[in-house]
Every structure is written in structure tokens, then in C-alpha cells.
Amino acid sequence: MTDIPARLTVVTLGARDMPGLRRFYRALGWEEVESSGDGWSGFLLGGVLLSLYPLEDLAAEAADGAPAPAGWSGFTLACNVDGPEQVDESFAAAVRAGAAVVAEPVERPWGGRSAYVADPEGNRWEIAWAPGAGFDDRGALTSFGA
């Protein structure tokens, strides 16, 4: 067992045009999860959630408000954990392993808890607990949201 689960659960793309990006992914035949809207949208793809989030809102959480052209790529990778306390434990483990602190663990307006770290290349990882997230025995995401 590791200090932080070896999971890739969510890939989030910062969207400059949420309605347009949602239309594109729906046009591919991908079904949005029930709680999707223009403030957040998700597509469950083979156990990984593709998440669309307004770029400015994502930048406020994961990049200290910096716009994507200022050196941040506009996307984050996420590792969802089993409970809110595990966010703090996994965050600490990532920092011990050499991750840079981007945002300390906090309760989020969407009802969960998360923190952000950057790997040595600056890629943003969110460590998150989301109510309603479910996993199979391998740790793959099997459900998300209410």
C-alpha cells in the first residue's frame, strides 16, 4: 500500500467556451453525467471522468488566478480519494515526495474537499474527495456525483 493511491480519476480541461465545448463532446456521442451544466460538465469515460470547468474558475483554484497563457497549461489531473481526511493525508504524502504546494486542502463550494500540488514539471494535480464518487476494487472510478 502506498501513501497516496495510484489512481487517475479525473482529467479536467479549462474551457474558455463551456457551452461550445459541451456541445462538441456531446456531438462525439459521449453522455454527460447527470449533474452537468455550464458551470461544470463531466463525461465518464472508461472509468476516468473527463471534466470541463470554466478556465477562469479553474485558474482561481489551481493556478492562483493566473490565466493559462501565463505559464499554466489550462488543465489539471486529479486523484480522487475515499474520504475528506484522506485529502490531507495524500496531500502531505505528495509534498513529502517532492510536489510543490499550489493550494492547501480546503472545503470546496461544490461540496467536496480538495488541494492542489504541482509535480516537478509543474503539472497540476488535484487531490480531491467528492461526495458520491465510487470506485471498483482496482481503484477505477465507477460513479461520480449524486
Side-chain angles (χ1 to χ4, degrees):
M1 182 171 179
T2 62
D3 291 328
I4 182 170
R7 298 178 182 159
L8 175 60
T9 54
V10 178
V11 174
T12 301
L13 304 176
R16 289 177 173 83
D17 174 9
M18 278 294 293
L21 203 53
R22 288 179 65 209
R23 279 192 303 274
F24 170 77
Y25 285 106
R26 287 192 311 253
L28 294 177
W30 295 359
E31 185 176 327
E32 285 181 292
V33 298
E34 191 172 320
S35 57
S36 292
D38 284 342
W40 173 86
S41 178
F43 300 84
L44 191 57
L45 308 174
V48 174
L49 185 77
L50 173 64
S51 171
L52 308 178
Y53 200 58
L55 183 58
E56 289 181 3
D57 295 340
L58 188 58
E61 285 186 14
D64 300 325
W72 178 57
S73 60
F75 75 93
T76 63
L77 302 169
C79 175
N80 279 65
V81 296
D82 297 313
E85 67 286 345
Q86 199 175 4
V87 170
D88 299 69
E89 295 164 4
S90 296
F91 175 81
V95 171
R96 282 195 307 271
V101 173
V102 175
E104 298 281 338
V106 296
E107 304 298 323
R108 297 292 181 186
W110 44 263
R113 181 171 181 77
S114 78
Y116 286 88
V117 295
D119 72 13
E121 293 284 336
N123 295 300
R124 301 307 205 256
W125 277 88
E126 180 184 22
I127 300 168
W129 168 74
F135 308 97
D136 68 16
D137 291 339
R138 299 174 303 125
L141 189 66
T142 58
S143 63
F144 195 83

